[in-house]
Short mmCIF file of all heavy atoms in Angstrom, two decimals:
data_model
loop_
_atom_site.label_atom_id
_atom_site.label_comp_id
_atom_site.label_asym_id
_atom_site.label_seq_id
_atom_site.Cartn_x
_atom_site.Cartn_y
_atom_site.Cartn_z
N ALA A 160 27.37 -52.60 8.23
CA ALA A 160 28.61 -52.76 7.57
C ALA A 160 29.06 -54.18 7.69
O ALA A 160 29.61 -54.84 6.75
CB ALA A 160 29.75 -51.86 8.12
N TRP A 161 28.88 -54.78 8.85
CA TRP A 161 29.29 -56.14 9.16
C TRP A 161 28.34 -57.15 8.25
O TRP A 161 28.91 -58.07 7.52
CB TRP A 161 28.96 -56.56 10.58
CG TRP A 161 29.33 -58.01 10.82
CD1 TRP A 161 30.67 -58.44 11.16
CD2 TRP A 161 28.51 -59.08 10.83
NE1 TRP A 161 30.56 -59.80 11.35
CE2 TRP A 161 29.25 -60.30 11.16
CE3 TRP A 161 27.19 -59.31 10.63
CZ2 TRP A 161 28.70 -61.53 11.22
CZ3 TRP A 161 26.61 -60.55 10.72
CH2 TRP A 161 27.43 -61.68 10.98
N LEU A 162 27.15 -56.88 8.04
CA LEU A 162 26.32 -57.68 7.16
C LEU A 162 26.73 -57.55 5.70
O LEU A 162 26.70 -58.57 5.06
CB LEU A 162 24.81 -57.27 7.37
CG LEU A 162 24.18 -57.73 8.73
CD1 LEU A 162 22.80 -57.04 8.82
CD2 LEU A 162 24.14 -59.17 8.92
N SER A 163 27.16 -56.42 5.34
CA SER A 163 27.64 -56.24 4.03
C SER A 163 28.82 -57.12 3.69
O SER A 163 29.01 -57.70 2.63
CB SER A 163 27.85 -54.77 3.73
OG SER A 163 26.74 -53.97 3.72
N ILE A 164 29.70 -57.06 4.63
CA ILE A 164 31.00 -57.77 4.46
C ILE A 164 30.67 -59.31 4.51
O ILE A 164 31.19 -60.07 3.79
CB ILE A 164 31.94 -57.34 5.61
CG1 ILE A 164 32.38 -55.98 5.42
CG2 ILE A 164 33.12 -58.34 5.66
CD1 ILE A 164 33.19 -55.41 6.51
N ALA A 165 29.87 -59.70 5.54
CA ALA A 165 29.51 -61.08 5.52
C ALA A 165 28.73 -61.63 4.34
O ALA A 165 29.08 -62.74 3.85
CB ALA A 165 28.59 -61.28 6.80
N SER A 166 27.93 -60.86 3.80
CA SER A 166 27.25 -61.27 2.51
C SER A 166 28.05 -61.36 1.40
O SER A 166 27.91 -62.20 0.53
CB SER A 166 25.96 -60.31 2.27
OG SER A 166 26.42 -58.98 1.89
N ALA A 167 29.24 -60.59 1.32
CA ALA A 167 30.12 -60.65 0.29
C ALA A 167 30.88 -61.99 0.21
O ALA A 167 31.24 -62.57 -0.77
CB ALA A 167 31.08 -59.44 0.33
N ALA A 168 31.09 -62.56 1.47
CA ALA A 168 31.78 -63.76 1.58
C ALA A 168 30.87 -64.95 0.89
O ALA A 168 31.51 -65.98 0.41
CB ALA A 168 31.94 -64.16 2.95
N TRP A 169 29.63 -64.83 0.88
CA TRP A 169 28.73 -65.86 0.28
C TRP A 169 28.40 -65.46 -1.24
O TRP A 169 28.05 -66.42 -1.86
CB TRP A 169 27.47 -65.98 1.01
CG TRP A 169 27.65 -66.44 2.39
CD1 TRP A 169 28.39 -67.55 2.80
CD2 TRP A 169 27.09 -65.82 3.63
NE1 TRP A 169 28.35 -67.61 4.32
CE2 TRP A 169 27.53 -66.54 4.76
CE3 TRP A 169 26.36 -64.64 3.89
CZ2 TRP A 169 27.16 -66.24 6.05
CZ3 TRP A 169 25.97 -64.36 5.18
CH2 TRP A 169 26.46 -65.17 6.19
N ALA A 170 28.64 -64.34 -1.57
CA ALA A 170 28.26 -63.94 -2.92
C ALA A 170 29.32 -64.47 -4.02
O ALA A 170 30.37 -64.63 -3.63
CB ALA A 170 28.15 -62.40 -3.02
N GLY A 171 28.78 -64.54 -5.30
CA GLY A 171 29.69 -65.03 -6.27
C GLY A 171 30.34 -63.95 -7.15
O GLY A 171 30.92 -64.09 -8.14
N ASP A 172 30.05 -62.71 -6.63
CA ASP A 172 30.64 -61.60 -7.37
C ASP A 172 31.49 -60.80 -6.27
O ASP A 172 31.66 -61.11 -5.17
CB ASP A 172 29.53 -60.60 -7.90
CG ASP A 172 28.66 -60.12 -6.85
OD1 ASP A 172 29.18 -59.53 -5.94
OD2 ASP A 172 27.38 -60.29 -6.97
N SER A 173 32.24 -59.79 -6.80
CA SER A 173 33.07 -58.94 -6.01
C SER A 173 32.50 -57.58 -5.92
O SER A 173 32.87 -56.73 -6.73
CB SER A 173 34.48 -59.00 -6.42
OG SER A 173 34.52 -58.50 -7.78
N SER A 174 31.64 -57.33 -4.95
CA SER A 174 30.93 -55.99 -4.93
C SER A 174 31.93 -55.03 -4.17
O SER A 174 32.60 -55.36 -3.31
CB SER A 174 29.66 -56.17 -4.10
OG SER A 174 28.76 -56.96 -4.70
N GLU A 175 31.71 -53.72 -4.59
CA GLU A 175 32.32 -52.71 -3.94
C GLU A 175 31.22 -52.02 -3.20
O GLU A 175 30.16 -51.75 -3.81
CB GLU A 175 33.12 -51.82 -4.90
CG GLU A 175 33.76 -50.65 -4.19
CD GLU A 175 34.76 -49.85 -5.01
OE1 GLU A 175 35.08 -50.35 -6.17
OE2 GLU A 175 35.09 -48.71 -4.67
N ARG A 176 31.49 -51.54 -1.97
CA ARG A 176 30.38 -50.79 -1.11
C ARG A 176 30.85 -49.53 -0.75
O ARG A 176 32.02 -49.36 -0.33
CB ARG A 176 29.97 -51.76 0.08
CG ARG A 176 29.15 -52.99 -0.38
CD ARG A 176 29.03 -53.91 0.74
NE ARG A 176 28.57 -55.16 0.32
CZ ARG A 176 29.39 -56.01 -0.27
NH1 ARG A 176 30.61 -55.91 -0.41
NH2 ARG A 176 28.88 -57.22 -0.59
N ARG A 177 30.04 -48.63 -0.76
CA ARG A 177 30.38 -47.28 -0.27
C ARG A 177 29.17 -46.63 0.52
O ARG A 177 28.00 -46.77 0.06
CB ARG A 177 30.71 -46.31 -1.49
CG ARG A 177 31.88 -46.68 -2.23
CD ARG A 177 32.41 -45.60 -3.07
NE ARG A 177 33.57 -46.02 -3.83
CZ ARG A 177 33.82 -45.77 -5.05
NH1 ARG A 177 32.97 -45.01 -5.63
NH2 ARG A 177 34.98 -46.19 -5.57
N ILE A 178 29.45 -46.04 1.60
CA ILE A 178 28.46 -45.38 2.42
C ILE A 178 28.20 -44.05 1.90
O ILE A 178 29.25 -43.18 1.53
CB ILE A 178 28.87 -45.37 3.93
CG1 ILE A 178 28.98 -46.71 4.48
CG2 ILE A 178 27.94 -44.45 4.79
CD1 ILE A 178 29.44 -46.79 5.86
N ILE A 179 27.05 -43.70 1.52
CA ILE A 179 26.60 -42.35 0.99
C ILE A 179 26.56 -41.45 2.21
O ILE A 179 26.86 -40.33 2.28
CB ILE A 179 25.30 -42.36 0.19
CG1 ILE A 179 25.57 -43.28 -1.09
CG2 ILE A 179 24.86 -40.96 -0.23
CD1 ILE A 179 24.38 -43.71 -1.84
N GLY A 180 25.80 -42.03 3.31
CA GLY A 180 25.71 -41.23 4.63
C GLY A 180 24.23 -40.90 4.92
O GLY A 180 23.26 -41.49 4.47
N PHE A 181 24.19 -40.10 6.07
CA PHE A 181 22.90 -39.81 6.61
C PHE A 181 22.36 -38.49 6.02
O PHE A 181 23.12 -37.68 5.62
CB PHE A 181 23.05 -39.65 8.17
CG PHE A 181 23.28 -40.85 9.04
CD1 PHE A 181 24.50 -41.32 9.24
CD2 PHE A 181 22.16 -41.61 9.33
CE1 PHE A 181 24.68 -42.55 9.99
CE2 PHE A 181 22.24 -42.79 10.12
CZ PHE A 181 23.52 -43.21 10.39
N SER A 182 20.99 -38.41 5.98
CA SER A 182 20.38 -37.13 5.59
C SER A 182 20.69 -36.06 6.66
O SER A 182 21.13 -36.51 7.84
CB SER A 182 18.94 -37.34 5.41
OG SER A 182 18.27 -37.66 6.69
N PRO A 183 20.68 -34.77 6.36
CA PRO A 183 21.00 -33.75 7.41
C PRO A 183 20.11 -33.89 8.68
O PRO A 183 20.63 -33.57 9.74
CB PRO A 183 20.62 -32.38 6.62
CG PRO A 183 20.80 -32.77 5.20
CD PRO A 183 20.34 -34.16 5.04
N ASP A 184 18.90 -34.35 8.59
CA ASP A 184 18.07 -34.50 9.81
C ASP A 184 18.34 -35.86 10.50
O ASP A 184 17.68 -36.09 11.47
CB ASP A 184 16.62 -34.38 9.43
CG ASP A 184 15.94 -35.34 8.40
OD1 ASP A 184 16.77 -36.27 8.10
OD2 ASP A 184 14.87 -35.11 8.00
N GLY A 185 19.15 -36.77 9.88
CA GLY A 185 19.36 -37.97 10.49
C GLY A 185 18.34 -39.13 10.43
O GLY A 185 18.44 -40.09 11.06
N LYS A 186 17.37 -38.85 9.59
CA LYS A 186 16.28 -39.74 9.47
C LYS A 186 16.46 -40.84 8.36
O LYS A 186 15.75 -41.71 8.30
CB LYS A 186 14.91 -39.06 9.13
CG LYS A 186 14.45 -38.15 10.33
CD LYS A 186 13.18 -37.51 10.03
CE LYS A 186 12.78 -36.53 11.13
NZ LYS A 186 11.57 -35.86 10.89
N TRP A 187 17.44 -40.67 7.54
CA TRP A 187 17.65 -41.48 6.41
C TRP A 187 19.14 -41.92 6.30
O TRP A 187 20.01 -41.10 6.59
CB TRP A 187 17.30 -40.89 5.13
CG TRP A 187 15.89 -40.42 5.10
CD1 TRP A 187 15.47 -39.10 5.36
CD2 TRP A 187 14.70 -41.15 4.83
NE1 TRP A 187 14.12 -38.99 5.25
CE2 TRP A 187 13.61 -40.16 4.97
CE3 TRP A 187 14.40 -42.32 4.57
CZ2 TRP A 187 12.25 -40.56 4.80
CZ3 TRP A 187 13.13 -42.84 4.21
CH2 TRP A 187 12.05 -41.96 4.33
#
């Protein structure tokens, strides 16, 4: 999450980010 926010500061666009989440087994 921190890297996503930090990279937005350098980007020339305004990205929206959403967490989809973990798989039921926690591997993804």
